[in-house]
Amino acid sequence: MTTPAKSDKDRVVIFDTTLRDGEQCPGATMTHEEKLEVAELLDTMGVDIIEAGFPIASEGDFAAVHEIAKRSKNAVICGLSRAAPKDIDRCAEAIKPAKRNRIHTFLSTSPVHMKYKLQKEPHEVYEMVIAQVTRARSHTDNVEWSAEDGTRTEFDFLCRCVEAAIKAGATTINIPDTVGYATPSEFGDLIAGINAHVPSIDQAVISVHGHNDLGLAVANFLEAVKNGARQLECTINGIGERAGNASLEELVMALHVRRSYFNPFLGRPAESSEPLTGVRTEEITKTSRLVSNLTGMAVQPNKAIVGANAFAHESGIHQDGVLKNRLTYEIIDARTVGLADNRISLGKLSGRSAFRARLEDLGYSLERDDLDDAFARFKELADRKREISDRDLEAIVSEQVQQQSEARFLLRGVQVSCGTGLRPTATVTLETSDGAELTEAAIGTGPVDAVCQALNRLARVP
Ligand code: KIV
Ligand code: ZN
């Protein structure tokens, strides 16, 4: 794939927030090792900026951002922070080892957020914007400022805050549709309005961030691009808070497939074949599978680009058309997103190498023993089922993948005492990976709670 154009103004910058906003979605928590694995793949995939976490949120988040920053190769590593100086300083510390880093600092600007969440007057918020950006700039020259709940912010106030943030040194201005409320034409008009009314806007890149509460996030972003937005904040498989974020694969593929439509909005000739983003589209399927496997969040089968049915033709009429000429019903060649074209259909006659190759396409790379085990289970299933689907393969290997992370503790003993007039008490003994035994006792509201309290105490032991 050719290198995209140099300036951030004449191409679309892809800012991935799978590890921050994506991880905010219920049940999507990843371990430290898993976050490193996702970050590595995102970097390989050509994402421009990886928002690796929210360092002040926990020691775990700090450690993940710090390690990702150390290991990053090409991508800018970004951390999120609120407006408080200690948040910003902690974020700066976490991203410090990266070759290229960014602080993303945000503050709410809508009337409802200022009144109820921040309990601040607009003039106080305005001063905080200047202070937060100034502090972030004292750590790095790459600072993004976000107007949280931007789409419900009063327009003149939003423009004043954006101008103040740029004057204080923000290099990217992000306009979030935090509650997924905007419609495409409104969102496009908002971006056009900011472009037209903020005097210093040409000194910053305009970014958009949006949630999918009305299913409009991707459409909103594409309209924003047409009106001057040049950074898109998105997640793999669209995971994220509530209904999720705009999905990376849908945005990248829309800009890829409909390049000639979008080119003129970026000042390029319609027929230019230069990619609009730097993402290696062939890595999309693998990355989607990895995120789905690690978070346990299944991708709906009819999800655009990465759903199991996205490239499947079921009806006889469609199959017939595709066999005559694939352009009849296909707008994307499956190979563009990293799917094998003439997929080898896996069945009982398939060998180990076809099995391993298919697993690798799906984002699994198993050690020899795990592969042997998975292959035996595959053969067993193939005896009963004519064709083995990707879903079957995922089920076959998921056990091995989950077992790959090394156990940190072994449960050695649990003792609980409870009864009439007794306070439920539990004593728990764990063995650490270096063989030491740790014991803690705790009182709880019931026997199970007492065990959990004892485990919590043990987890706090350094
Ligand atoms: O949705 C939102 O507004 C956010 C901000 C922190 C950018 O996630
Ligand atoms: Zn968000």
Side-chain angles (χ1 to χ4, degrees):
M1 181 174 268
T2 42
T3 330
K6 307 112 324 250
S7 151
D8 282 352
K9 296 278 175 89
D10 59 10
R11 70 181 189 99
V12 177
V13 170
I14 298 296
F15 175 115
D16 180 278
T17 182
T18 306
L19 294 169
R20 198 278 296 170
D21 212 326
E23 223 223 356
Q24 272 173 236
C25 104
T29 318
M30 286 176 253
T31 66
H32 183 78
E33 290 303 324
E34 290 169 347
K35 288 182 188 174
L36 301 185
E37 202 179 336
V38 171
E40 190 182 347
L41 203 46
L42 290 171
D43 206 352
T44 310
M45 188 186 189
V47 157
D48 299 282
I49 296 143
I50 298 174
E51 187 165 52
F54 190 3
I56 194 91
S58 69
E59 288 300 324
D61 249 41
F62 179 91
V65 176
H66 198 251
E67 192 58 35
I68 291 169
K70 270 195 208 159
R71 296 185 185 197
S72 58
K73 294 191 180 78
N74 304 306
V76 173
I77 304 303
C78 171
L80 182 70
S81 79
R82 290 169 297 189
K86 66 174 182 336
D87 269 37
I88 297 170
D89 297 349
R90 188 78 174 138
C91 180
E93 204 185 327
I95 58 170
K96 204 168 184 173
K99 289 193 196 92
R100 294 190 297 151
N101 60 27
R102 172 181 292 187
I103 295 177
H104 175 192
T105 182
F106 71 100
L107 189 60
S108 293
T109 49
S110 67
V112 64
H113 275 222
M114 289 191 293
K115 182 168 179 193
Y116 296 104
K117 191 178 109 166
L118 301 178
Q119 299 182 335
K120 300 249 180 254
E121 292 298 323
H123 70 271
E124 294 174 285
V125 169
Y126 180 83
E127 291 304 325
M128 285 168 76
V129 172
I130 298 172
Q132 71 182 135
V133 174
T134 306
R135 183 141 195 135
R137 270 304 296 246
S138 72
H139 295 291
T140 172
D141 57 7
N142 192 339
V143 172
E144 171 171 337
W145 179 75
S146 279
E148 191 185 5
D149 206 16
T151 49
R152 293 193 300 170
T153 296
E154 195 263 315
F155 181 71
D156 288 340
F157 184 61
L158 180 62
C159 289
R160 282 184 54 225
C161 289
V162 168
E163 177 70 5
I166 297 173
K167 286 263 166 61
T171 44
T172 298
I173 292 294
N174 185 38
I175 308 298
D177 185 24
T178 304
V179 290
Y181 182 71
T183 66
S185 60
E186 274 173 346
F187 202 49
D189 289 349
L190 177 62
I191 301 304
I194 290 170
N195 246 331
H197 289 94
V198 175
S200 311
I201 199 67
D202 58 334
Q203 290 165 37
V205 171
I206 303 182
S207 165
V208 287
H209 177 107
H211 288 265
N212 215 18
D213 300 68
L214 296 174
L216 295 173
V218 169
N220 286 342
F221 279 27
L222 295 175
E223 221 36 48
V225 168
K226 287 165 59 182
N227 288 282
R230 292 293 175 265
Q231 174 179 287
L232 306 181
E233 300 199 356
C234 45
T235 60
I236 301 292
N237 300 337
I239 65 171
E241 187 84 32
R242 304 185 311 279
N245 285 70
S247 125
L248 180 147
E249 57 281 357
E250 292 176 21
L251 288 165
V252 167
M253 289 311 293
L255 293 170
H256 179 78
V257 174
R258 300 303 312 275
R259 202 161 44 220
S260 57
Y261 173 75
F262 287 102
N263 273 337
F265 294 103
L266 284 94
R268 304 172 175 201
E271 64 281 5
S272 167
S273 61
E274 187 165 17
L276 284 165
T277 76
V279 171
R280 285 180 200 88
T281 59
E282 321 80 62
E283 302 289 332
I284 284 178
T285 300
K286 193 190 261 188
T287 315
S288 159
R289 296 269 160 81
L290 179 75
V291 169
S292 169
N293 293 331
L294 296 182
T295 57
M297 292 195 60
V299 173
Q300 75 188 59
N302 59 325
K303 162 92 171 62
I305 318 295
V306 290
N309 297 345
F311 294 91
H313 301 282
E314 185 64 24
S315 98
I317 297 173
H318 287 208
Q319 287 180 347
D320 180 57
V322 169
L323 286 172
K324 287 176 176 143
N325 185 326
R326 61 198 308 161
L327 294 178
T328 50
Y329 288 102
E330 277 184 12
I331 59 161
I332 304 172
D333 180 335
R335 286 170 298 190
T336 319
V337 296
L339 284 167
D341 182 34
N342 292 320
R343 292 226 200 158
I344 302 166
S345 130
L346 287 178
K348 65 178 176 186
L349 299 177
S350 304
R352 237 178 105 88
S353 56
F355 176 70
R356 192 184 51 228
R358 188 79 204 110
L359 287 187
E360 280 171 4
D361 283 347
L362 294 174
Y364 295 106
S365 115
L366 300 187
E367 297 297 332
R368 195 191 166 87
D369 288 352
D370 285 336
L371 187 69
D372 288 347
D373 196 13
F375 187 61
R377 297 209 278 142
F378 157 72
K379 282 289 187 183
E380 201 184 299
L381 183 63
D383 264 343
R384 291 181 276 126
K385 202 166 178 258
R386 200 162 52 91
E387 197 175 329
I388 306 294
S389 68
D390 288 351
R391 292 277 168 258
D392 295 324
L393 292 178
E394 280 171 1
I396 287 171
V397 293
S398 62
E399 223 173 277
Q400 275 99 329
V401 169
Q402 274 158 20
Q403 283 166 3
Q404 271 175 11
S405 54
E406 236 177 72
R408 288 178 55 208
F409 299 106
L410 212 62
L411 185 61
R412 277 285 169 227
V414 179
Q415 200 187 3
V416 184
S417 58
C418 56
T420 319
L422 283 179
R423 299 181 72 189
T425 309
T427 307
V428 178
T429 303
L430 297 181
E431 185 184 312
T432 63
S433 48
D434 51 12
E437 279 208 350
L438 306 171
T439 301
E440 279 288 349
I443 293 170
T445 50
V448 175
D449 184 52
V451 172
C452 294
Q453 298 298 339
L455 284 170
N456 283 344
R457 287 188 178 182
L458 284 162
R460 280 198 291 269
V461 173

